């Protein structure tokens, strides 16, 4: 009744005033209720980017970091020993590295400013790859052989004496050389070395290299199959950063866990997210790595209690 008595011109004027009012309200709301600035974190992976790192890019793509008030920049790593040093010296804010590398660094310097806050690889991925034709089938067969690792910081190289002690062979007889990941593969498939050290997730990459070279099957000596059931890679922050920004640390872990869970539930989509960012990666190989990754992350403890519950006391309440 009221609207019918108003002129079209009056109604139009009221609509214009309303629209302007809404626009002004939207424009000034950030000034009245300023948004909290996001915290930027520089995050170093342990190695060059492969399928095993998919969950972090899923967390980035799905906005999980953003939900926690974080902007995260992900960079490749150069081995766990390098990662823990970069965290401790504030070159990066957070790193993904091996617990053994951190323990070794802390044993040399009691004031080493780094701490692991969340375990990701609850089952160690350390492995040695050989060609099946080499006759190297078990740890003792490694005695006297030529093995190539990435470098002195390669945790497989660092812990080989421990692996030898557990399995009963003489690690001092091994002849070591160092080379990059790509060169290591070529040295193996061209029969220039007897074996290479890698993480278990590299199995699809090694097998593809062997297939492309036409040199037959690959043998995998996974340390965990021989009694080396130790924690491996996790998230590392500076102790000082943890004390000053505990909520940032918790938020980062929550976002990472969501990335892992989504990756395991939607592996094909996750691989697409990764390869869209890095089209040079082989999608089939990356997809195979995710299946191996899940074996390392989803230990019985993780299945029962959730992934990486070292630091997030509120994780259970969050359903993580």
């Amino acid at each position: 009744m009221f609207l019918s008595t108003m002129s079209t011109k009056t109604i139009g004027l009221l609509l214009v005033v309303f629209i302007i009012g809404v626009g002004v309200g939207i424009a000034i709301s950030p000034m009245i209720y300023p948004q909290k600035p996001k915290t930027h974190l520089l995050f170093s992976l342990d190695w060059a980017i492969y399928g095993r790192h998919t969950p972090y890019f899923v967390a980035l793509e799905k906005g999980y970091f953003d939900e926690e008030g974080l902007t995260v920049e992900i960079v490749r790593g150069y081995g766990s020993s390098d990662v823990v040093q970069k965290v401790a010296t504030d070159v990066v804010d957070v790193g993904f590295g091996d617990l053994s590398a951190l323990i070794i660094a802390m044993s040399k310097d009691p004031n080493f400013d780094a701490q692991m806050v969340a375990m990701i690889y609850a089952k160690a991925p350390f492995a040695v790859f050989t060609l099946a034709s080499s006759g190297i089938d078990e740890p003792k067969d490694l005695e006297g052989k030529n093995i190539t690792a990435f470098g002195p910081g390669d945790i497989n190289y660092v812990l080989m004496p421990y692996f030898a002690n557990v399995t009963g062979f003489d690690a001092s007889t091994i002849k070591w050389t160092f080379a990059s990941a790509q060169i290591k593969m070529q040295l193996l498939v061209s029969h220039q070395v007897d074996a290479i050290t890698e993480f278990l997730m590299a199995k699809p990459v090694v097998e593809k290299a062997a297939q492309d070279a036409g040199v037959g099957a690959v043998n995998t000596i996974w340390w965990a199959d021989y009694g080396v059931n130790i924690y491996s890679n996790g998230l590392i922050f500076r102790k000082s950063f943890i004390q000053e920004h505990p909520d940032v640390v918790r938020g980062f872990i929550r976002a990472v866990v969501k990335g892992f869970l989504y990756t395991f539930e939607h592996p094909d989509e996750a691989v697409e997210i990764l390869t869209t960012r890095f089209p040079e990666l082989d999608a089939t190989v990356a997809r195979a790595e995710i299946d191996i990754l899940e074996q390392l992350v989803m230990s019985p403890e993780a299945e029962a209690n959730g992934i990486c519950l070292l630091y997030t006391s509120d994780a259970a309440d969050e359903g993580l």
Side-chain angles (χ1 to χ4, degrees):
M1 176 74 70
F2 175 73
L3 288 176
S4 64
T5 62
M6 297 176 65
S7 68
T8 303
K9 183 176 181 181
T10 302
I11 293 174
L13 181 61
L14 288 174
L15 287 172
V16 170
V17 171
F18 174 76
I19 293 170
I20 292 174
V22 171
V24 171
I26 293 172
I28 67 173
S29 61
M31 293 183 284
I32 300 174
Y33 306 104
Q35 293 184 350
K36 183 179 178 180
K38 294 186 182 297
T39 301
H40 179 269
L41 295 177
L42 182 59
F43 174 36
S44 174
L45 301 175
D46 56 330
W47 195 238
I49 296 167
Y50 288 112
R52 70 197 72 170
H53 301 119
T54 300
Y56 304 110
F57 294 98
V58 168
L60 203 61
E61 179 70 22
K62 292 294 180 180
Y64 299 150
F65 291 123
D66 188 67
E67 290 171 3
E68 298 291 345
L70 306 174
T71 59
V72 177
E73 180 183 353
I74 304 175
V75 296
R76 66 152 295 175
Y78 293 88
S80 289
S81 297
D82 184 67
V83 170
V84 298
Q85 291 293 335
K86 285 180 176 175
V87 172
T89 55
D90 200 15
V91 175
V92 299
D93 300 300
V94 52
F96 178 60
D98 184 77
L99 181 61
S100 298
L102 178 59
I103 291 172
I104 291 170
M106 294 177 69
S107 70
K108 296 177 180 178
D109 178 7
N111 298 315
F112 195 75
D113 189 14
Q115 179 178 330
M116 184 170 288
V117 298
M119 179 54 57
I120 301 294
Y121 295 167
K123 199 169 185 180
F126 313 135
V128 176
F129 292 102
T130 70
L131 298 180
S133 59
S134 69
I136 301 173
D137 301 313
E138 57 184 43
K140 191 167 180 59
D141 296 332
L142 296 173
E143 286 187 341
K145 298 300 189 294
N146 295 298
I147 303 179
T148 297
F150 165 66
D154 185 332
I155 196 64
N156 293 274
Y157 168 77
V158 172
L159 293 182
M160 186 61 76
Y162 167 68
F163 179 51
N165 185 58
V166 170
T167 56
F169 74 91
D170 186 358
S172 67
T173 64
I174 294 174
K175 304 175 184 67
W176 289 100
T177 54
F178 301 130
S180 68
Q182 293 78 7
I183 294 177
K184 278 198 300 182
M185 303 289 180
Q186 292 307 311
L187 291 175
L188 178 66
V189 300
S190 61
H191 303 279
Q192 295 183 63
V193 297
D194 300 307
I196 60 173
T197 62
E198 271 290 353
F199 275 8
L200 184 66
M201 294 82 76
K203 184 177 180 180
V205 180
V206 179
E207 289 179 337
K208 185 176 186 303
Q211 180 182 6
D212 291 345
V215 293
V218 170
N219 281 346
T220 303
I221 299 176
W222 184 18
W223 297 20
D225 285 339
Y226 295 89
V228 182
N229 295 315
I230 58 177
Y231 286 145
S232 181
N233 283 40
L235 303 176
I236 303 168
F237 281 86
R238 288 185 303 284
K239 297 175 185 177
S240 53
F241 187 96
I242 297 168
Q243 294 168 357
E244 295 169 9
H245 309 285
D247 291 340
V248 171
V249 175
R250 289 190 180 95
F252 183 84
I253 297 171
R254 279 194 294 265
V256 166
V257 171
K258 288 179 181 178
F260 271 89
L261 293 178
Y262 194 93
T263 297
F264 295 152
E265 292 168 3
H266 310 277
D268 294 333
E269 180 189 348
V271 166
E272 186 175 350
I273 288 173
L274 180 72
T275 53
T276 296
R277 286 179 176 268
F278 306 100
E280 69 277 11
L281 295 178
D282 185 305
T284 302
V285 170
R287 177 66 181 80
E289 280 203 24
I290 289 177
D291 289 337
I292 297 172
L293 179 68
E294 189 168 6
Q295 296 178 47
L296 302 176
V297 175
M298 299 309 297
S299 65
E301 295 81 9
E303 292 280 6
N305 305 307
I307 302 171
C308 62
L309 293 179
L310 293 186
Y311 183 74
T312 50
S313 59
D314 57 341
D317 295 333
E318 297 291 336
L320 301 180

